[in-house]
Amino acid sequence: MSISTPGGPERRPTVVSTGKKPAAGRPAAGAKAGSGKSTGSPRTGGKGPRKPVAPVKVSQGRAWGPIALFVAVGVLAAGIIGYGAWASFQGSKPWDKRADAIEGIVNIRKSDPDSLKYESHKSGPLTWNYSPPVGGVHNAAWQNCMGDVYDAPIANEHAVHSLEHGAVWITYRPDLPKDQVDKLAGKVRGVEKTFMSPYEGLDKPISLQAWGYQLKVDNADDSRIDEFIKDLRVNASVEGPTALCNTGITATGTTPRELQQQPTQ
């Protein structure tokens, strides 16, 4: 059966649908072979899939407050740990090494050991190489050194014997202001193997003595005073820690007692 084409050979023939679906894998009639373009989605109006929207980044300033606090706490903790380690190390040193580390201390045990030697107790006035004396020959009687605070000068001969027993003797100029004297007294009262008294002719306002050691300072607020007491009290004893500081001379005055009037130790 022939199909007529009205209008002449220039007109395309009309395609009559047979109602059959195109075979799988083959393009439908009128579709261009090899075309992979999508025909669009109904939701996008046939314009294809939407491009993903990039998130908007919000620039925020760095939180310096918490950071500074954290750093400060860290520095403080490191300082505490470091100081604790240093203090522990210092405390583990022998007492004489700690004493030698005190700024300005004079160690007569090293510089002039012969001045500390003596053969026996002696009565009457005695002489020394240092003022106030720090050891050597002395009277048989010792000055009471149970935290005694003397308001007048005492005999050197008795004081040196107390140093031999491990006491620390604090001396000061008679014109030292009262508040300074009171501060010194606060370091002495109630502390066994310490005593203090005014002393004429000091070249510094305050002078501290232990057997073979001396430290001179300008005021009672000097932290070296506490270091001197801590390191040398008892430790500097020539006769050991059990040497007595009680039952000694409690009177003031610079004239020493006669030998036969006092116990010998």
Side-chain angles (χ1 to χ4, degrees):
M1 178 179 176
S2 64
I3 302 173
S4 62
T5 55
E10 293 84 3
R11 301 283 299 273
R12 286 182 179 271
T14 300
V15 179
V16 179
S17 174
T18 61
K20 295 181 180 180
K21 295 181 179 180
R26 297 178 64 184
K32 293 183 179 179
S35 175
K37 292 183 179 179
S38 171
T39 58
S41 169
R43 295 182 180 178
T44 59
K47 296 181 180 179
R50 293 183 178 178
K51 293 182 180 180
V53 179
V56 178
K57 295 183 179 180
V58 179
S59 178
Q60 295 182 349
R62 195 178 294 273
W64 291 111
I67 293 175
L69 178 61
F70 178 79
V71 172
V73 171
V75 170
L76 179 61
I80 293 173
I81 294 172
Y83 177 79
W86 177 83
S88 177
F89 172 73
Q90 289 295 105
S92 66
K93 288 183 178 181
W95 67 267
D96 54 339
K97 299 295 183 184
R98 298 197 305 271
D100 284 340
I102 299 174
E103 184 180 356
I105 197 169
V106 179
N107 186 342
I108 290 91
R109 295 188 183 200
K110 288 184 178 180
S111 62
D112 189 12
D114 289 342
S115 68
L116 304 177
K117 295 177 180 178
Y118 72 97
E119 295 180 356
S120 61
H121 295 142
K122 291 185 177 181
S123 59
L126 304 172
T127 58
W128 298 268
N129 294 344
Y130 304 92
S131 180
V134 296
V137 64
H138 52 269
N139 193 276
W142 58 91
Q143 194 76 24
N144 213 67
C145 44
M146 297 292 291
D148 296 81
V149 175
Y150 299 100
D151 58 4
I154 58 178
N156 290 337
E157 292 79 3
H158 301 154
V160 172
H161 196 155
S162 300
L163 300 184
E164 186 184 40
H165 287 195
V168 168
W169 179 25
I170 298 178
T171 57
Y172 59 92
R173 287 176 180 169
D175 61 352
L176 189 70
K178 184 179 182 303
D179 65 318
Q180 291 279 293
V181 176
D182 290 342
K183 286 181 180 180
L184 292 175
K187 300 176 186 296
V188 170
R189 283 195 180 94
V191 181
E192 185 178 352
K193 298 204 172 181
T194 64
F195 63 115
M196 63 178 281
S197 65
Y199 197 96
E200 296 283 353
L202 287 179
D203 56 355
K204 284 277 191 176
I206 300 168
S207 181
L208 291 84
Q209 290 68 228
W211 185 274
Y213 292 91
Q214 190 169 67
L215 175 67
K216 296 183 179 183
V217 299
D218 292 319
N219 63 76
D221 298 309
D222 197 311
S223 61
R224 292 175 296 170
I225 296 175
D226 293 333
E227 293 179 40
F228 189 98
I229 296 172
K230 178 181 177 181
D231 294 336
L232 294 170
R233 186 181 69 88
V234 180
N235 290 327
S237 173
V238 178
E239 297 186 347
T242 59
L244 298 177
C245 246
N246 59 351
T247 70
I249 300 293
T250 57
T252 59
T254 57
T255 302
R257 299 292 177 89
E258 291 300 320
L259 185 64
Q260 65 270 19
Q261 295 178 335
Q262 299 299 327
T264 57
Q265 180 173 336

